[in-house]
Amino acid sequence: MAFHLSEQTIRQRLVEWSNLKKLHRAARNRVEILQEKNRTLAEENVGLASRLRAAEEEARKRQETVEKLQKLLFERQAPRTRMTRARERIIRGAESYRRAVPSRVDLRKSVSLKQCPDCGSRVSTTQSSRTRLVEDIVFNPKPVATEWTITRHFCAACEKLVEAPVPGVLPRAQLGPNTLTFVVIAKYRWNMPYAKIRDALKISYGLAISEGEVAYILKEAERLTGEKWDEITEAVKLGRSVHCDETGWWVDGQRAWAHVFSSERATLYVIHETRGKGVAEKALGEDFRGVRISDCLGNYKNLPGSHQICWAHLTREAYENCERGKNNERVFLSRELDALYARLRKETTDWNELSAQAARAWCERKVDDLLARSWKDPPSTRLVERLETFRAALFACLDSPSISPDNNEAERSLRKLAVQRKISGGNRSWKHAIVHAKLMSVIETLRKEGDDVLSGLQTLVNVGIEKRLSGQ
């Protein structure tokens, strides 16, 4: 039997269906909006979670820093060293605990008794005696003032009055060569500023001078030792190995750089406005055939001669990476570099050609393994990349004897300048910066030559005065 709907019912059903479609469409749109909001909130949640992890990591690092600072400030710790080296024990004899007997006796005195110091009774005549040596200094001795009478004579050929030069004294100078020598040693050996040099001369010798006279004396000393400076520059160019390094300096309140080039025979200081490659090129010369030893600064890379980078810098950086945060890669790399450095020190201390060749092959294999390894830690990756960059300069120390695998010599030479920089802050002018570098070179070279610095400097000053007086 057929089922029929009335027209009114059909119209009513159509209206309901149309309304349902509109409701469905509105509901679907709302669902899409809610889904979009859900995606946005999910993305924001991921970002907030990432920021939370970063904040927690930063808080952890700051807490570690605070704990380390608290330990440094409030806890007594034994000094830590990166590697322990065996030290030879020196057995001291009884003589090492006594002062050496002076070579001369300047004054003799005696002391005697008339009554016992314990009970006050009279004592007998002298039964025996002993001697006792006492050395002491003299405060504020009087300086020696010498008045020279200079005769004048008429020269018929020149048609003028002439006179003989005063021997051993600079023309028109009122202070003698010993004062000049003392000022140079006080400034560049004892690191004394001008004011303290002035006070030392007044207290120790009773000689009153001004700080301006100290500056003038140093400029005169630089002129008198000019030939020694020339010898130093040539000795560095002819050196078998030259340690190179630089540190910050100040000239007239402006940033400058103090360079050092230390060979087996001489130490050369150069103060320059730049840290660039040209300073090393000029100091070493175009015909340099030795080995330059430096840190990993690129300025020293492409220069004449062979190149050896400092293994102490490499091992120290690996150790510091472990101190910042240990992981397997950092610990492994630090141990491998320490092993390489230890082998290089052993071979260069007692160099033998066959042993050095075997050590080079062993070290090359070690480095090859490090370069072939896959590194994920960024600091370790940078350090290994540096090994690859300076691959040709890793083992030059094994090619010939007396070549060090580290640059400690240059760092020790620069430490003297660093101390002076802390005391005086640098130089007030470029003229005095040049004087500073030249006289420091002379003093440190005299020390390296093994002679008494005072005697060596006196000889240089006296020779310079004689040449000045003779017109050379």
Side-chain angles (χ1 to χ4, degrees), residues 5 15 25 41 44 94 194 257 266 292 358 431 450 458 469 471:
L5 295 175
V15 171
R25 191 181 301 112
L41 291 173
E44 290 179 358
Y194 290 175
W257 292 93
R292 62 189 183 281
K431 289 183 180 179
Q458 284 180 321
L469 294 177

Side-chain angles (χ1 to χ4, degrees), residues 143-326:
V144 179
T146 304
E147 181 182 37
W148 292 84
T149 300
I150 306 169
T151 60
R152 294 178 175 178
H153 308 269
F154 182 78
C155 176
C158 299
E159 297 183 352
K160 65 177 181 179
L161 289 173
V162 293
E163 61 184 38
V166 177
V169 182
L170 286 171
R172 297 183 297 278
Q174 293 181 294
L175 295 172
N178 289 343
T179 303
L180 185 147
T181 303
F182 176 88
V183 169
V184 173
I185 290 179
K187 176 63 178 174
Y188 301 109
R189 186 69 185 93
W190 302 334
N191 301 327
M192 296 173 67
Y194 290 175
K196 287 191 176 181
I197 295 174
R198 177 199 61 197
D199 295 343
L201 285 170
K202 182 66 177 177
I203 294 172
S204 301
Y205 301 98
L207 180 63
I209 66 172
S210 66
E211 294 183 34
E213 286 180 296
V214 173
Y216 178 78
I217 286 173
L218 293 176
K219 286 195 292 186
E220 286 294 328
E222 181 266 328
R223 297 189 187 100
L224 294 175
T225 57
E227 289 191 1
K228 185 65 175 180
W229 161 264
D230 296 335
E231 293 177 8
I232 292 171
T233 56
E234 290 302 317
V236 169
K237 293 177 181 178
L238 298 175
R240 293 181 60 247
S241 64
V242 178
H243 296 259
C244 314
D245 206 352
E246 73 290 323
T247 187
W249 195 252
W250 296 97
V251 178
D252 193 22
Q254 302 297 319
R255 184 63 180 267
W257 292 93
H259 301 255
V260 65
F261 303 92
S262 181
S263 69
E264 60 273 8
R265 293 176 47 224
T267 300
L268 173 65
Y269 291 95
V270 178
I271 297 177
H272 203 277
E273 60 186 1
T274 180
R275 195 185 187 184
K277 186 177 182 179
V279 180
E281 285 181 329
K282 184 177 180 180
L284 298 176
E286 298 178 355
D287 300 325
F288 181 69
R289 294 293 179 268
V291 179
R292 62 189 183 281
I293 305 169
S294 71
D295 54 20
C296 297
L297 188 66
N299 294 350
Y300 304 107
K301 189 176 181 183
N302 298 316
L303 292 173
S306 303
H307 188 198
Q308 171 67 51
I309 64 169
C310 177
W311 275 89
H313 278 77
L314 297 174
T315 54
R316 189 183 305 127
E317 183 174 345
Y319 173 76
E320 290 173 353
N321 289 339
C322 291
E323 286 295 296
R324 294 188 191 100
K326 287 187 177 181

Side-chain angles (χ1 to χ4, degrees), residues 43-95:
E43 293 174 357
E44 290 179 358
N45 189 28
V46 172
L48 290 173
S50 177
R51 290 171 59 185
L52 178 61
R53 287 193 297 270
E56 290 175 347
E57 180 67 17
E58 181 68 20
R60 185 186 63 80
K61 290 181 179 180
R62 290 188 178 184
Q63 181 62 29
E64 290 179 355
T65 303
V66 170
E67 292 175 357
K68 288 181 180 179
L69 291 175
Q70 288 176 341
K71 289 182 179 180
L72 290 173
L73 290 172
F74 303 113
E75 291 186 10
R76 293 178 59 87
Q77 295 180 347
R80 296 182 301 172
T81 55
R82 182 170 45 81
M83 56 181 67
T84 304
R85 303 181 188 178
R87 293 186 178 182
E88 181 180 358
R89 184 179 178 182
I90 300 176
I91 301 176
R92 298 181 61 179
E95 296 80 6

